[in-house]
Amino acid sequence: MSIKTSAHSPLVADLASRFQEAPWLVQQRERAFALYTSMPSPKLEKTDLRDRPWLVESIPSATTGGAGAAAQALLEGAKAAGGAYVYVRDGVTIETSLPHSLAKQGVVLLDLHTAVDQHPEWVRRHLYSVVPAEESKWAALNAALWHGGVFVHVPSGVRLELPIHFIYEETMTGKGGLPRSLIVVEDRASLSFAEAYLCHGERQEGVVHSAVTELVVGPDADVTAACLSRYGKGPTNFFTRRAKLADNASVDWVIGDVSDGFTVGLVESRLEGPGSKSTTRSFGVGYGRQRLDFTASMDHFGHHSESDITLMGVLRGRASSTYRSSTHIERGADEASSEQHDRMLMLGSRAQADAIPMLLIDENDVQRCGHAASVGRIDENQVYYLMARGIPRAEAERMIIWGYLQPLVDAFPVEPWRSEVASWIDGELNLR
Amino acid sequence: MSSPVLTIEDLRVSVEDKEIVKGLSLQIKGGEIHAVMGPNGTGKSTLASALMGHPAYSVTSGRVTLDGEDVLAMSVDERARAGLFLAMQYPAEVSGVSNANFLRTALNARRGEGNELPVIKFHRLLQQKMKDLNIDPSFAERYLNEGFSGGEKKRNEILQMSLLEPKIAILDEIDSGLDIDALKLVADAVNQLRSPQTGFLIITHYQRLLQYIVPDYVHVMMQGRIVKSGDKTLAEYLEANGYDTLKRELGIVDETVGAEA
């Protein structure tokens, strides 16, 4: 059976017919595609995107080869940690696995295309509700052409012990990854998920990866959202991850990026409900000619909402990173409180880091709002101290760097993924 | 194990092109405790830092050997592994590195590859040493010196010394900021380690510490040199009479480095 669509974009039409998509979705895609084409490639405060090409071509319907080494390691980790996972390569869903114990509790874990079919009300209600197409050219691109994606639904009161994993891999045969994760956690439910975005990469100039994660968290529900990324040089990479929190909901983001790519990323919590709480703990390791423009943001609407942001970056080579922590206390978010800590460590003289703390406060009655930022190099006094106890310089530096990163890597909820990311860091910082 | 010997010959040390230590000679043998005393600004801490190899201190001439090996040719970590230890006046704080992890890495570096202490044995040893020094067990998992009080930092230095069992231990004003109970603990630790295998160089302003650690030799530093040496009675003499009497006797008006010119 094939349905007729009114799609104007051949790319949207292609997806619509390939997945036999419902008209409401095709319309949304069309609308978003029009936005994408009409929006300019902007000059951001710290990152100029005006000269970067947007090579958006045909969307492959198949992928070749097996999982790369990193994807393989994370897959094995996901299996060891209970076996709830979705693995997508080049936009094509390769595997979806939901253990019986979770399915029995009413948990839904599907690739997003299937979910559109099987749970149209849920998807229609929540898709685009947290990350709308309007907000940026890259959000519009993803809204228009997402393919390969995940849908999770955790019913009221269901508290999952096992974490759920999503692994998105982009190989050199892909034409730009546009994955979308939609996660809906109902009231009093509890979920921990880990998402990895792995881009193989040596030069795919013009290719654009834009990943979107939408997280809807109901009253009194709590979520730990752990996201890892590896971006190679060549493409332009975007990620937009946002959670919307109802009353007394809580979201803990753990974000890790080990990359030498060109990346603009946003992680945000909209603290809409009174008493909602969110933390972001993020570490980034940049090397080569990496360029990262990263914003961790907390937007407070709810009375007595609380947030805390900790960002740590370690940069070597010619890596250049901007880490922005942004807290907005909207009018009406009385008795809100927020803390920010940003620490950047530059290895070598050519790496660059900016730490930009931002506090926007529109409410007079704020409980507590603080920030601390530091950018520096390895403290030679620390190195001297460790060496004075017989520890060679290289090992001393490794200990100091890991001293920065360890508490954040340890915040990752899935052990096999922790050791995998640790080995990436050691490898890229030449610490092995 | 043979008894170690640290030999310092006509050592001159500069900081930012200013000469601070101006020709100092001293020999410390295993089993001996040497105290170097003197008022502030006479070059005592500079001597200690230069012996350890702090990058801000440059040795412009002289020789330092440990058991015949050229110490000045060694990097800081090589000096430590050769058996030199400096308990620092201002130990660095290292966030994210637990005290236990640091101590184990240091101890294994000192013991050398292939001779590492198994984890269980290390922890047993650490617990025992911490108990001896009346250190709370939570100390092991706290980040290295981070948020430690002055007294805790000093006790941590002594804990490291007692774990690493150096050939030559230099204590740079270990008594500053310690109350009398902590001072006694530190003295006990030094006295326990006192053996023909370890020599001590104890730098202090005051005679107070030397009531608990009785030195074999006492040297007074002024203007970057040792101006007088004696036995423990010299420390007692200084306590009773102050440095001024000694200065008059030696014809020194201002004892600080640079004042003689």
Side-chain angles (χ1 to χ4, degrees):
Chain A
M1 189 192 85
S2 120
I3 54 163
K4 264 186 88 172
T5 72
S6 58
H8 302 300
S9 153
L11 294 173
V12 171
D14 179 30
L15 288 172
S17 80
R18 192 185 303 172
F19 296 105
Q20 300 289 298
E21 287 179 340
W24 70 265
L25 178 57
V26 181
Q27 276 169 21
Q28 291 274 21
R29 286 189 184 275
E30 277 301 340
R31 196 181 140 267
F33 195 82
L35 281 167
Y36 159 69
T37 47
S38 68
M39 290 170 104
S41 201
K43 182 178 192 296
L44 304 175
E45 182 199 2
K46 291 282 178 183
T47 306
D48 194 350
L49 297 167
R50 287 172 304 183
D51 292 336
R52 296 196 69 91
W54 293 72
L55 197 69
V56 177
E57 292 179 334
S58 64
I59 295 164
S61 57
T63 176
T64 52
Q72 193 61 51
L74 296 184
L75 263 173
E76 278 162 23
K79 286 172 189 169
Y85 64 92
V86 174
Y87 170 41
V88 175
R89 188 165 67 242
D90 298 326
V92 179
T93 307
I94 308 286
E95 268 185 278
T96 305
S97 159
L98 181 67
H100 182 63
S101 60
L102 299 192
K104 214 171 54 184
Q105 293 175 275
V107 174
V108 172
L109 172 65
L110 291 170
D111 79 83
L112 189 50
H113 302 284
T114 308
V116 169
D117 253 10
Q118 294 189 5
H119 300 286
E121 300 79 24
W122 283 344
V123 176
R124 191 170 181 178
R125 182 164 152 216
H126 296 295
L127 191 71
Y128 307 125
S129 74
V130 188
V131 180
E134 292 75 356
E135 73 172 60
S136 61
K137 189 176 177 69
W138 47 95
L141 176 63
N142 181 291
L145 299 177
W146 63 264
H147 57 284
V150 169
F151 176 71
V152 177
H153 183 265
V154 184
S156 296
V158 172
R159 306 187 63 80
L160 295 190
E161 303 283 321
L162 297 179
I164 293 181
H165 309 76
F166 326 138
I167 299 158
Y168 296 112
E169 186 179 24
E170 284 298 316
T171 73
M172 295 298 285
T173 57
K175 299 284 200 225
L178 299 169
R180 196 169 186 105
S181 305
L182 174 61
I183 297 130
V184 180
V185 181
E186 303 285 4
D187 59 293
R188 292 171 290 115
S190 171
L191 169 70
S192 160
F193 74 87
E195 176 177 65
Y197 194 53
L198 306 168
C199 288
H200 297 204
E202 275 297 306
R203 305 270 159 229
Q204 274 187 309
E205 308 289 351
V207 163
V208 176
H209 300 302
S210 175
V212 169
T213 303
E214 297 185 278
L215 178 52
V216 181
V217 187
D220 299 300
D222 62 86
V223 175
T224 300
C227 310
L228 277 182
S229 52
R230 294 215 80 173
Y231 290 109
K233 59 191 170 192
T236 309
N237 312 293
F238 299 96
F239 62 82
T240 309
R241 299 189 163 110
R242 185 177 292 120
K244 200 168 68 174
L245 288 79
D247 305 7
N248 297 314
S250 112
V251 170
D252 294 315
W253 294 101
V254 184
I255 309 291
D257 178 62
V258 182
S259 291
D260 65 348
F262 185 105
T263 306
V264 175
L266 170 71
V267 171
E268 184 168 83
S269 288
R270 280 176 65 91
L271 297 146
E272 295 185 348
S276 55
K277 275 185 210 158
S278 185
T279 64
T280 296
R281 280 166 289 178
S282 168
F283 61 92
V285 172
Y287 53 97
R289 288 170 178 266
Q290 178 248 27
R291 170 70 204 147
L292 174 65
D293 186 317
F294 176 64
T295 304
S297 162
M298 295 289 179
D299 207 353
H300 291 251
F301 296 87
H303 157 78
H304 216 294
S305 48
E306 289 176 30
S307 71
D308 191 303
I309 298 174
T310 303
L311 307 181
M312 295 232 183
V314 176
L315 304 168
R316 70 174 271 250
R318 293 187 178 191
S320 155
S321 290
T322 300
Y323 284 80
R324 204 177 284 101
S325 50
S326 166
T327 304
H328 193 170
I329 312 247
E330 311 271 355
R331 187 167 268 293
D334 56 313
E335 292 182 31
S337 59
S338 146
E339 292 288 334
Q340 301 177 359
H341 309 269
D342 309 337
R343 286 180 83 187
M344 303 299 131
L345 184 63
M346 293 175 291
L347 311 178
S349 57
R350 292 186 302 180
Q352 284 191 356
D354 280 324
I356 308 177
M358 294 168 68
L359 291 171
L360 305 159
I361 303 179
D362 297 328
E363 169 59 52
N364 292 323
D365 177 14
V366 167
Q367 267 202 340
R368 148 185 81 88
C369 231
H371 68 81
S374 74
V375 174
R377 301 187 186 282
I378 288 193
D379 181 349
E380 276 302 315
N381 279 322
Q382 293 181 335
V383 177
Y384 166 69
Y385 186 66
L386 299 184
M387 287 178 75
R389 299 300 178 249
I391 301 169
R393 173 173 282 275
E395 176 66 13
E397 291 183 352
R398 184 181 189 278
M399 288 174 79
I400 293 164
I401 294 166
W402 267 109
Y404 272 83
L405 293 172
Q406 191 79 58
L408 293 175
V409 173
D410 285 349
F412 231 81
V414 188
E415 201 303 311
W417 286 33
R418 279 202 292 272
S419 35
E420 177 63 12
V421 79
S423 79
W424 299 349
I425 293 170
D426 275 344
E428 300 307 347
L429 294 180
N430 285 335
L431 298 176
R432 264 197 290 246
Chain B
M1 208 157 70
S2 66
S3 195
V5 188
L6 181 77
T7 308
I8 306 166
E9 293 168 78
D10 197 26
L11 188 72
R12 290 173 179 270
V13 183
S14 292
V15 181
E16 289 170 352
D17 294 329
K18 187 179 182 220
E19 190 167 72
I20 306 288
V21 174
K22 306 181 170 214
L24 183 144
S25 299
L26 186 62
Q27 189 169 65
I28 301 165
K29 294 182 181 146
E32 295 177 354
I33 293 185
H34 293 248
V36 171
M37 302 184 69
N40 273 328
T42 54
K44 303 187 305 293
S45 287
T46 299
L47 170 67
S49 295
L51 289 174
M52 199 67 236
H54 190 290
Y57 298 81
S58 49
V59 172
T60 51
S61 72
R63 263 167 60 82
V64 179
T65 57
L66 176 59
D67 298 338
E69 299 284 328
D70 183 0
V71 169
L72 299 177
M74 298 179 198
S75 59
V76 176
D77 55 316
E78 286 168 343
R79 294 179 197 199
R81 291 198 299 275
L84 212 55
F85 180 90
L86 170 60
M88 296 191 197
Q89 207 177 342
Y90 304 107
E93 300 183 5
V94 187
S95 188
V97 175
S98 76
N99 225 7
N101 177 25
F102 160 70
L103 292 168
R104 193 160 74 88
T105 310
L107 182 59
N108 284 337
R110 170 98 167 91
R111 291 169 64 98
E113 223 168 275
N115 193 28
E116 289 91 351
L117 202 62
V119 180
I120 304 266
K121 277 195 175 170
F122 166 76
H123 281 285
R124 216 172 282 150
L125 177 67
L126 180 61
Q127 293 305 327
Q128 187 55 51
K129 296 282 186 191
M130 286 186 358
K131 207 172 152 194
D132 293 347
L133 284 163
N134 200 15
I135 289 172
D136 191 87
S138 69
F139 212 74
E141 291 316 314
R142 286 168 68 187
Y143 291 154
L144 178 51
N145 290 329
E146 194 180 60
F148 284 27
S149 69
E152 285 176 325
K153 283 182 181 170
K154 294 297 168 78
R155 273 189 281 167
N156 201 20
E157 294 296 285
I158 294 303
L159 174 64
Q160 292 168 40
M161 177 187 78
S162 101
L163 272 171
L164 295 173
E165 300 182 344
K167 290 179 177 172
I168 301 292
I170 306 163
L171 311 186
D172 188 7
E173 301 200 3
I174 197 73
D175 46 346
S176 71
L178 288 188
D179 61 28
I180 194 73
D181 291 335
L183 193 72
K184 281 180 184 164
L185 282 171
V186 165
D188 283 350
V190 170
N191 289 329
Q192 267 180 37
L193 207 61
R194 197 168 190 171
S195 80
Q197 269 71 53
T198 305
F200 288 89
L201 177 62
I202 293 173
I203 291 169
T204 179
H205 280 290
Y206 307 107
Q207 196 258 345
R208 191 176 69 148
L209 178 66
L210 305 180
Q211 290 171 359
Y212 303 100
I213 306 170
V214 181
D216 302 295
Y217 304 94
V218 174
H219 313 278
V220 180
M221 252 183 110
M222 288 185 187
Q223 297 173 342
R225 293 182 193 88
I226 290 172
V227 292
K228 192 173 178 72
S229 295
D231 59 16
K232 64 176 182 180
T233 58
L234 176 56
E236 286 156 10
Y237 170 84
L238 289 171
E239 181 71 8
N241 301 289
Y243 288 113
D244 284 345
T245 314
L246 181 65
K247 275 157 65 183
R248 272 197 298 279
E249 186 189 310
L250 296 169
I252 294 169
V253 178
D254 184 342
E255 74 283 5
T256 57
V257 174
E260 71 277 17

